[in-house]
Amino acid sequence: MSGIVKEIHEALAVLSIPEKAAFFPKFFKTGKGEYGEGDLFLGVTVPDQRSVAKEYHAKISLEELSELLSSGYHEHRLTALLMLISKFEKAKDTALKTELVDFYLNHLTYVNNWDLVDSSCYKILGRYAFENQKEDLLRKLSESDDMWHKRIAVVGTMYYVKRGSFDLTKELVTYNLRHTHDLMHKANGWLLREMGQKSEKDLIVYLNQYYKEMPRTCLRYAIEKLEEEVRQDYLKGKI
């Protein structure tokens, strides 16, 4: 183990809270057959992980970051991703940004729970795809058999939504609209809701075409910010 990785391990270990170490495995569904099966937790809060990431992100190399990201401990992986985000956001050189994106893509095996996905994918992959017109990076992940890859794809379009661009979000949500897993239903509904926050008109047009095909969880997430009367009409199938 490299010296800096050992330092980060120790810094996180000091911040461990036993009650959270006991709670997180249940919260992140680590039981047999659950989506987070086998994941390990130290019990460190996200703000504390951000503090550690802030201290070390400029010092750590990609080789060392790879070592940290491949850990079995959830907090090691999230802290590694927070540092990767910082490196990407501070990178000025296009070649370096491409290298960081390639690093992210090559380590997707370790981006394997919803918070790891949601905190990193649109800030790295979504932004890179948007700024370089590389939407096929997200389309390819959307077509993967891996559920986390599919979630990375649709949540990655958050960067597009924040900039008022909705076509890719609608495309990828539609592609996996009937996915069997609840975590995809939530992701799809969440991105549709965010689209509606930018343009309710676009959301309504999309809903009117697809809402009867949506899993209930997806629909509830998508319509959460609409007026109550309109929400009820969708839920009761009156539109």
Side-chain angles (χ1 to χ4, degrees):
M1 183 186 300
S2 68
I4 194 167
V5 172
K6 185 177 180 181
E7 282 185 38
I8 293 169
H9 282 191
E10 292 171 350
L12 290 169
V14 169
L15 296 167
S16 173
I17 301 171
E19 293 79 8
K20 293 195 177 295
F23 170 72
F24 286 158
K26 300 173 186 176
F27 183 71
F28 288 102
K29 307 295 184 185
T30 64
K32 187 172 178 59
E34 294 182 308
Y35 61 75
E37 182 177 351
D39 208 351
L40 302 173
F41 288 85
L42 296 167
V44 183
T45 66
V46 174
D48 281 342
Q49 290 176 69
R50 290 190 184 279
S51 296
V52 173
K54 184 177 181 180
E55 180 179 353
Y56 286 98
H57 76 87
K59 308 173 187 177
I60 195 167
S61 68
L62 287 184
E63 183 178 358
E64 292 162 336
L65 204 59
S66 178
E67 185 179 351
L68 185 63
L69 186 52
S70 61
S71 171
Y73 282 94
H74 193 98
E75 290 93 339
H76 291 168
R77 301 199 303 283
L78 180 53
T79 302
L81 289 170
L82 294 172
M83 288 191 281
L84 185 64
I85 292 166
S86 293
K87 284 182 178 293
F88 184 80
E89 290 178 342
K90 293 177 185 299
K92 304 298 182 184
D93 181 73
T94 302
L96 177 55
K97 288 184 176 181
T98 300
E99 181 182 7
L100 295 171
V101 166
D102 288 342
F103 177 93
Y104 185 75
L105 290 170
N106 289 332
H107 289 78
L108 288 186
T109 299
Y110 308 109
V111 187
N112 58 353
N113 213 314
W114 58 265
D115 63 321
L116 304 177
V117 168
D118 297 354
S119 62
S120 65
C121 65
Y122 77 91
K123 293 181 179 180
I124 299 174
L125 197 56
R127 178 177 176 178
Y128 181 81
F130 180 86
E131 292 179 346
N132 296 277
Q133 296 78 54
K134 291 186 177 291
E135 287 76 19
D136 282 349
L137 287 173
L138 298 176
R139 289 191 179 101
K140 183 178 179 180
L141 289 171
S142 183
E143 294 166 2
S144 169
D145 292 333
D146 188 293
M147 190 265 290
W148 297 123
H149 292 184
K150 290 180 180 295
R151 186 167 173 121
I152 286 168
V154 70
V155 178
T157 69
M158 180 73 79
Y159 197 86
Y160 288 72
V161 170
K162 286 179 177 292
R163 280 145 189 82
S165 178
F166 310 131
D167 287 348
L168 187 60
T169 298
K170 289 186 283 187
E171 176 188 336
L172 300 190
V173 167
T174 305
Y175 185 81
N176 283 296
L177 192 63
R178 299 168 193 83
H179 194 276
T180 57
H181 205 291
D182 187 59
L183 284 176
M184 283 305 299
H185 303 168
K186 291 177 179 178
N188 288 336
W190 172 29
L191 267 293
L192 291 175
R193 183 185 69 206
E194 292 301 310
M195 181 179 76
Q197 291 287 87
K198 286 285 187 179
S199 172
E200 187 171 302
K201 177 183 177 182
D202 280 89
L203 174 60
I204 294 297
V205 169
Y206 185 87
L207 288 172
N208 288 352
Q209 183 175 357
Y210 291 106
Y211 86 96
K212 290 185 178 180
E213 305 172 38
M214 287 181 182
R216 202 66 168 175
T217 298
C218 177
L219 178 60
R220 287 187 179 279
Y221 270 59
I223 64 177
E224 184 179 4
K225 299 296 184 180
L226 297 179
E227 292 182 3
E228 183 60 22
E229 184 177 351
V230 178
R231 286 183 66 257
Q232 290 302 320
D233 284 344
Y234 278 116
L235 289 171
K236 295 173 182 176
K238 292 182 177 180
I239 301 296

